[in-house]
Amino acid sequence: MRKLTLGTAFAAMVLAAVIAPTAHTKEPVKQYTVEDFFTHPVYNGVIISPTGKYFAIKSTEGINDAIFVYDREEKKVVSKFAFGEYQRFSNIRWVNNERLIFTGRKFVGYLDERGSPPSLYAANADGSNRRELIRWGSSGWTFLSSLPNEEDYILIGKLYGGEDGMFAHKLDVNDGRTYYLDDQPKDPGRLLADNTGTLRASFNYEEDEDDEFGKGTFILNYKPYGSDEWKKYHMEQFDEGGTLSFIGFSGDNRYAYVAADFETKTRALYEFDTKTEEFEQIYVNPIADVSNIIYGSDDNPIAVESMPGAIERHYFADSNDVTLRKSLTDAFNGENVYVTSTTDKGDLAVVHVSSDINPGQYYIFNLDTLEAKFIASPYPTVDPNDMASVQPITVTARDGLQLHGYLTIPKNYNQDRDGALPTIVNVHGGPHGPRDTWGFSPENQFFANRGYAVLQINFRGSGGYGDEFEEAGYRKWGREMQNDVTDATLWAIEQGYADSDRICIYGGSYGGYASLMGVIREPDLYQCSVGYVGVYSLPVMKSSGDIPRSRSGRKYLDHVLGTDEEVLKANSPAENVDKIKVPLYIVHGTEDVRVPMEQYKALTEALEKEGIPYQSMLKAEGHGYQIEENRYELYESLEAFFNKHIGAE
């Protein structure tokens, strides 16, 4: 990254003049269409080339992604890349002034992935020399470095079938040939390269079959600072379990930055000195894991982010880079501002701006003229002035555990004037690892635009709040995890936000499970329930779908669900439908492999056996609908279902 220089107060003053602060109107809020919220974004990634001549723009067209290369000098699109149905692109990078690489794979269902394994592609800006460089077949691969001093090569790690660990190779981005590096660590695991592209470290996690899940051994092989010899370091801190992930190196390549939780409840940021083998904690948020690190122009970290509620950014020290980031944030009215890419000279930067009401905007920022110019927005018809605010909330569960979540309140709502609202309790999927986050949600904004409050809670078992919080949900499906959702709903009623007579519970995947278990466990709390590609039988989950196909998947399910068949049945919606007494809407994809049709059939056959009516929708889709027409139909039908049973006025 090149240095970005900017006058302090002057920068904020100039940018503030370019982008006026958002003013909240008091006029009636415009009602948006399903197309406004659920049409796939035309612009969902903008990367500038090293010289600044081109933009690489990621777009979604129906069920396919595309990449456009836009010539900024000629002001026209010069090439386009699209590879067929359900093809999704990611990790777009310029490897030199005229050539870019990107990952492509087939996705079927937005909540899981199915189809082809990932392939790495490359093409010239003008569209010539398009080729698949490497695919995940008999050997897997991962990107390690762009090799800044070798513009025709990148560094990748390859995992060969039948062998343990990855091995580093140079890959020619023009013809796809690979070259094995002689200098490899012993017992290679996850390979790490420093800022120069030099292979410097390998994290290896070993778990024997008789090891308790997550209680294996961490081994670090690394090259000490200033040395070319590999050294082995046993990371004893993690022998009793824990999480570690590599983030990057310092500008001088002496320090490696990792996120770990071997001595904290949440994942903290650590600095590992590759010269002295010392771990030093740099920052920890006592509530939430470190989620992002921001680097400055010298490739040293200048800030770290976490999300206990809204996004919190902690700066380490004053510098020109810190001044720049703070000035940009101030100029964009306090919204989240991220630099997606810069030119080699550091004179131009693409910045992405977003918030809870702003679905995202891309700007090109000129550091010489101090001008910010709008490029595009992924949701061009959505006016942030009309959107609903997302309020972080804290709820104390019945056993004293602190829970965090979000309440989306319709625009122009006044509690004193309007009273309690019809409410949709939107339960996230996963459940272990994923979490609800603060930001713009098309789904929640659609519901709020129709007059509903939307309640989200990160129940125990959710990710993002430390391993202890996540593990507190293991083997608690339908019990303590469900209690957390109930307690959050009762909180919303007690606080005067939710109308106790107009509440519906809704969710996808695990959220579909919780939506059905909610009306089974609390038959008088909710007035309706919607299960979207949901799990309805825990015994079926142990035997069908893509998770139990592997030994590690089966071991994981045993760990998080348990092995007692009677307990699994007792906490399965399909085994307890006789307790349901509210309207149901069951939505599924016939091509779903994460939560296959066996789950839908287990529930609906039980409902029919008991004579319990239900509404349903089936589409030839995977784990979540991707085809735009199906998405439109789904949300129009959800609107009608909610209006019928808890109708917003």
Side-chain angles (χ1 to χ4, degrees):
M1 183 184 293
R2 301 295 181 178
K3 189 171 185 178
L4 304 178
T5 58
L6 185 64
T8 57
F10 182 61
M13 180 177 65
V14 172
L15 276 175
V18 175
I19 305 146
T22 299
H24 292 287
T25 176
K26 293 183 179 180
E27 297 178 358
V29 177
K30 169 187 173 182
Q31 187 171 82
Y32 286 81
T33 66
V34 292
E35 289 82 2
D36 291 320
F37 288 114
F38 301 110
T39 298
H40 293 303
V42 176
Y43 292 87
N44 50 14
V46 180
I47 308 295
I48 198 167
S49 66
T51 63
K53 182 178 181 181
Y54 303 110
F55 285 141
I57 301 171
K58 180 185 171 185
S59 174
T60 301
E61 301 176 317
I63 57 175
N64 311 313
D65 278 353
I67 297 174
F68 295 88
V69 176
Y70 178 80
D71 189 319
R72 298 182 58 244
E73 297 173 359
E74 299 293 330
K75 294 182 170 35
K76 64 179 183 180
V77 173
V78 294
S79 61
K80 173 187 175 181
F81 312 105
F83 296 153
E85 289 188 347
Y86 295 106
Q87 288 293 326
R88 300 303 189 198
F89 297 138
S90 60
N91 304 317
I92 303 168
R93 296 180 176 91
W94 289 95
V95 293
N96 57 49
N97 295 330
E98 294 291 332
R99 194 156 180 81
L100 70 157
I101 60 173
F102 49 92
T103 301
R105 69 183 306 171
K106 185 177 181 180
F107 282 75
V108 181
Y110 76 89
L111 295 175
D112 77 333
E113 51 195 57
R114 177 169 76 89
S116 66
S119 292
L120 183 66
Y121 299 96
N124 290 336
D126 63 5
S128 62
N129 193 19
R130 304 186 190 193
R131 63 174 59 236
E132 182 184 59
L133 297 177
I134 187 171
R135 72 170 58 185
W136 192 294
S138 59
S139 63
W141 61 271
T142 186
F143 177 87
L144 299 177
S145 172
S146 58
L147 295 177
N149 299 320
E150 300 183 66
E151 66 174 19
D152 291 325
Y153 295 88
I154 61 173
L155 189 67
I156 65 169
K158 293 182 71 176
L159 173 64
Y160 294 96
E163 297 188 30
D164 294 326
M166 279 197 166
F167 299 88
H169 292 69
K170 286 174 59 175
L171 184 150
D172 190 319
V173 298
N174 296 303
D175 59 23
R177 289 184 293 180
T178 59
Y179 303 88
Y180 179 82
L181 294 187
D182 293 331
D183 187 19
Q184 302 278 349
K186 295 181 180 179
D187 304 318
R190 181 183 176 189
L191 301 174
L192 311 173
D194 64 18
N195 296 312
T196 67
T198 302
L199 197 63
R200 286 289 304 284
S202 172
F203 288 101
N204 194 23
Y205 174 73
E206 300 174 353
E207 184 175 296
D208 295 331
E209 189 168 351
D210 56 352
D211 282 336
E212 184 181 346
F213 183 84
K215 299 292 180 68
T217 302
F218 273 101
I219 299 294
L220 169 65
N221 288 283
Y222 76 101
K223 285 183 179 179
Y225 182 69
S227 172
D228 291 328
E229 300 296 325
W230 288 100
K231 185 176 181 180
K232 190 172 185 177
Y233 176 59
H234 177 204
M235 305 181 73
E236 296 179 356
Q237 302 96 319
F238 296 94
D239 284 353
E240 295 302 315
T243 303
L244 181 146
S245 58
F246 173 77
I247 298 177
F249 278 91
S250 60
D252 62 3
N253 295 309
R254 173 174 173 174
Y255 300 97
Y257 297 102
V258 297
D261 60 357
F262 60 85
E263 62 182 6
T264 55
K265 286 188 176 182
T266 58
R267 199 169 304 175
L269 180 66
Y270 286 85
E271 183 179 75
F272 176 69
D273 190 334
T274 63
K275 184 176 182 179
T276 66
E277 292 189 349
E278 294 179 351
F279 267 99
E280 180 182 355
Q281 186 185 116
I282 298 178
Y283 175 78
V284 62
N285 185 298
I287 298 174
D289 294 341
V290 166
S291 57
N292 186 40
I293 189 169
I294 297 171
Y295 285 88
S297 57
D298 57 0
D299 291 318
N300 286 309
I302 62 172
V304 65
E305 292 182 334
S306 54
M307 195 185 299
I311 298 172
E312 294 183 3
R313 182 177 292 182
H314 172 79
Y315 289 97
F316 298 126
D318 289 333
S319 67
N320 288 339
D321 291 311
V322 171
T323 298
L324 168 66
R325 301 303 176 108
K326 288 183 176 180
S327 297
L328 285 169
T329 299
D330 291 342
F332 284 99
N333 201 32
E335 296 189 270
N336 301 317
V337 181
Y338 298 99
V339 177
T340 72
S341 52
T342 62
T343 56
D344 278 346
K345 292 182 179 179
D347 57 337
L348 297 174
V350 174
V351 296
H352 180 257
V353 183
S354 65
S355 71
D356 58 335
I357 62 173
N358 182 355
Q361 297 164 339
Y362 292 96
Y363 292 85
I364 182 73
F365 183 66
N366 188 311
L367 294 174
D368 294 329
T369 63
L370 299 178
E371 293 179 334
K373 294 183 179 179
F374 177 75
I375 300 173
S377 171
Y379 294 87
T381 63
V382 172
D383 184 351
N385 288 318
D386 296 330
M387 297 297 102
S389 64
V390 180
Q391 303 173 13
I393 62 172
T394 300
V395 176
T396 301
R398 65 190 67 183
D399 60 0
L401 185 66
Q402 290 294 110
L403 309 173
H404 300 271
Y406 304 96
L407 186 65
T408 303
I409 297 293
K411 176 71 175 177
N412 291 340
Y413 168 73
N414 182 291
Q415 191 175 37
D416 292 335
R417 179 191 64 208
D418 302 325
L421 290 165
T423 300
I424 298 169
V425 179
N426 192 345
V427 187
H428 73 72
H432 306 302
R435 56 160 289 184
D436 287 316
T437 57
W438 185 87
F440 186 88
S441 164
E443 180 176 74
N444 291 340
Q445 290 292 343
F446 171 71
F447 294 147
N449 188 249
R450 297 305 191 258
Y452 296 98
V454 183
L455 174 67
Q456 299 169 282
I457 196 69
N458 285 314
F459 44 82
R460 71 192 72 200
S462 303
Y465 295 93
D467 282 356
E468 182 178 324
F469 185 84
E470 182 174 334
E471 291 171 4
Y474 291 175
R475 305 191 182 198
K476 304 298 183 182
W477 289 42
R479 289 164 286 174
E480 285 88 340
M481 291 172 70
Q482 197 68 45
N483 291 343
D484 291 346
V485 177
T486 300
D487 292 345
T489 305
L490 295 174
W491 173 90
I493 295 171
E494 292 166 0
Q495 296 297 313
Y497 293 113
D499 183 338
S500 61
D501 294 324
R502 294 191 294 170
I503 303 175
C504 190
I505 185 168
Y506 158 80
S509 197
Y510 171 84
Y513 165 87
S515 295
L516 270 294
M517 283 303 296
V519 296
I520 289 169
R521 288 283 307 274
E522 307 291 340
D524 298 317
L525 182 59
Y526 305 102
Q527 282 69 57
C528 57
S529 173
V530 181
Y532 180 26
V533 294
V535 172
Y536 306 118
S537 170
L538 299 186
V540 170
M541 186 179 181
K542 298 288 288 290
S543 61
S544 68
D546 57 353
I547 298 177
R549 291 176 185 172
S550 66
R551 182 183 67 82
S552 61
R554 293 190 294 273
K555 189 174 183 179
Y556 170 78
L557 290 176
D558 286 346
H559 187 65
V560 301
L561 294 180
T563 58
D564 188 317
E565 186 80 5
E566 293 306 312
V567 172
L568 295 176
K569 289 181 178 179
N571 292 286
S572 294
E575 302 287 339
N576 295 276
V577 297
D578 58 305
K579 301 178 180 66
I580 297 174
K581 58 181 185 180
V582 300
L584 301 177
Y585 187 12
I586 311 301
V587 181
H588 220 83
T590 61
E591 305 300 317
D592 196 335
V593 296
R594 175 58 50 86
V595 180
M597 280 294 289
E598 285 90 334
Q599 294 285 353
Y600 174 86
K601 292 176 181 177
L603 176 65
T604 55
E605 288 175 1
L607 291 171
E608 290 166 5
K609 182 178 180 180
E610 291 290 329
I612 299 173
Y614 64 92
Q615 179 179 336
S616 70
M617 176 181 288
L618 293 176
K619 297 291 184 182
E621 295 244 34
H623 196 51
Y625 292 179
Q626 284 196 90
I627 298 171
E628 287 178 332
E629 289 74 13
N630 291 342
R631 288 157 63 91
Y632 303 156
E633 183 181 348
L634 170 63
Y635 285 98
E636 286 173 346
S637 69
L638 286 174
E639 179 183 4
F641 182 80
F642 292 140
N643 283 346
K644 179 179 180 180
H645 300 294
I646 59 170
E649 296 177 354

